[in-house]
Each structure stands twice: as C-alpha cells, then as structure tokens.
Amino acid sequence: MKKLLLGSLLATAAFASNATVVEMQTSQGTIKIDLFDQQTPKTVANFLSYVESEAYNQTVIHRSIEKFIIQGGGFKFTDDFEAIETSPAVMNEPVLSNVKGTVAMAKLSNNANSATSQWFFNLKDNSANLDKQNGGFTVFGQLTPDSYAVLDKISALVHCGEIPVVDITKEQCANADTTLTIANLVAINSVVVLDDDPNSSVNLSPKENTLINDPTQPDASDSSSGSMSWLLPLLLLCFKRRRVA
C-alpha cells in the first residue's frame, strides 16, 4: 500500500510544472497564459518566437465553437482576412491532455507535425477527442483562473458562422451586403511575456495525455464536431484548411 501511494506521489510530482507567463491584451479583455516550458519545450519556443517577433499583435480570433474551442494566431484583418507569415512547422509534443482551460496548437488534417502559428483554447475537456487524434494535439499552456471570464465573453458574442463578431446581428450576418471592419472582430492587440523565468509560475499541475500511447483507444478521424478548418462562410473565403479534427 505504501509503495502504491509513493508511486502515485512521484507521478504527481513528475507532472508538477513551472512556467513562463504570457499576457494577451484583447479587445474583450486580458488573457494570461502559463506556458509549459518543461513538458513541451519545442512548442513553447515556437510560440514565443511569434510573440517576440510581434507576429500575433493586431491579429484576430477567427474561430469560436460553443463548448469546444476558441482559435486564433492565424490572421490579421484590414479590408480582408490576411494570413500572417509563418515559420517552419514544429515537431508535435502530445504529452499533455486537452482538458478545459488549456492552450494547444492547431494543425493540418492528417499531418501530426504541421503546427505553425495557430493555437486554440479548450473550452471544455476535449481529451477524448483531441488527445490521440492526428497524433494528438500539443497542449503547451494553461489559462490563469481570472482569464476564463474573457473566453466566456467571446463565446457569448454573436457569431457569423464560426467568427465571433461585435455590433453585428444574426440578420446582418446572413446579409451578403454586410461589411466587416476590424472593430467588428475580436482583436488581439498585443501578446507579451510578463516573466521569462520558467520558474515564474509554480505549482501548476498539467494533466498527462494517457491516451496517445494506449493501443485500446482508437485514433479519432476527422469529424464535423471536431473540425478546426478555417471556415469563413460570411466572406466566402477559400484557405488551405488547418484543423483540429
């Protein structure tokens, strides 16, 4: 019994984590993220490279699905959606679970190692769907508790298709003559590192992805409920689709 208890404590300790702290200033409020430097070093370094180059500044949240995800990191908007310049894809690191409040990388369908700039917030426990699918989606951070209200605010906005919008009605969404401006979108004004010390956030307890190496668990295929494609029906845009499912 003592051996089992000790083993359990050691396993918990192994997944206790410290983290670099990043802050997103959005048009709907401030979001703080603790990054899992120790468990997903390649993905964190990739994300921070975009932060340091200010590539995420003045981008927009381009996808939001109720009780699933909120996605950004891919587009700026002037008169149209414009994809940001991306670096080479990062190697997948599916060691942590896609539970509620985590941040993970979006990627191309059927390509486990295709994540570049886009990320998404898990609005619920998506582990059963995302921890093994497409090689598992790499969780590289988690929201601070005071950031949840901002995601709730974004989720509650009117959505044109899957795009959360401000000061536009559902009726206007359905009208082909409706014109979007940056003021109608959820803007990410800036992303900055608050503390670059990996020990700056202590006592984090990320959940291990136990499904990725479980042969009894099927590798979920693409589905409409889990799709992370860049679906922008209001604007009838065609993009190469980057997906979570």
Side-chain angles (χ1 to χ4, degrees):
M1 184 66 175
K2 289 183 179 179
K3 288 184 178 180
L4 288 175
L5 179 59
L6 178 59
S8 177
L9 289 173
L10 288 174
T12 300
F15 267 86
S17 179
N18 305 323
T20 300
V21 185
V22 170
E23 180 179 86
M24 288 185 180
Q25 290 287 350
T26 83
S27 58
Q28 299 298 309
T30 300
I31 297 171
K32 292 181 182 179
I33 305 169
D34 293 317
L35 303 179
F36 295 134
D37 306 74
Q38 298 171 32
Q39 288 84 2
T40 56
K42 294 183 179 66
T43 305
V44 168
N46 174 73
F47 178 79
L48 289 176
S49 72
Y50 287 99
V51 172
E52 290 162 3
S53 68
E54 301 185 351
Y56 290 138
N57 294 0
Q58 308 307 314
T59 56
V60 297
I61 297 294
H62 66 271
R63 196 161 192 237
S64 170
I65 302 178
E66 185 180 9
K67 298 179 180 179
F68 183 40
I69 56 87
I70 288 175
Q71 184 176 353
F75 298 96
K76 293 180 182 288
F77 187 92
T78 49
D79 296 328
D80 208 340
F81 285 87
E82 302 170 2
I84 69 171
E85 184 176 351
T86 58
S87 301
V90 64
M91 185 69 67
N92 202 34
E93 298 176 296
V95 297
L96 302 176
S97 185
N98 284 266
V99 295
K100 181 178 179 180
T102 56
V103 190
M105 295 302 294
K107 53 189 176 179
L108 297 173
S109 178
N110 301 314
N111 189 342
N113 299 305
S114 60
T116 54
S117 67
Q118 291 194 39
W119 40 260
F120 61 93
F121 299 117
N122 282 298
L123 299 182
K124 69 176 185 67
D125 184 347
N126 290 315
S127 57
N129 184 27
L130 302 183
D131 278 7
K132 190 166 183 177
Q133 183 184 135
N134 195 7
F137 287 86
T138 297
V139 167
F140 65 96
Q142 71 180 35
L143 297 167
T144 59
D146 55 348
S147 300
Y148 282 75
V150 179
L151 297 192
D152 290 341
K153 190 174 181 182
I154 295 171
S155 295
L157 293 171
V158 168
H159 284 52
C160 291
E162 294 175 347
I163 309 169
V165 292
V166 179
D167 295 329
I168 288 182
T169 65
K170 280 289 187 184
E171 291 72 24
Q172 288 174 308
C173 283
N175 188 336
D177 293 328
T178 297
T179 301
L180 286 179
T181 70
I182 186 62
N184 300 125
L185 300 171
V186 178
I188 298 172
N189 300 318
S190 65
V191 185
V192 298
V193 175
L194 291 184
D195 195 329
D196 61 3
D197 180 359
N199 297 317
S200 55
S201 284
V202 297
N203 298 323
L204 303 175
S205 298
K207 183 179 178 182
E208 183 181 4
N209 180 351
T210 59
L211 300 182
I212 190 66
N213 294 317
D214 184 352
T216 67
Q217 296 293 325
D219 185 359
S221 60
D222 285 1
S223 66
S224 59
S225 63
S227 174
M228 290 292 288
S229 60
W230 294 341
L231 181 60
L232 303 174
L234 176 68
L235 302 172
L236 299 178
L237 296 177
C238 294
F239 292 105
K240 186 177 182 180
R241 294 185 173 183
R242 187 167 299 273
R243 301 157 39 120
V244 161

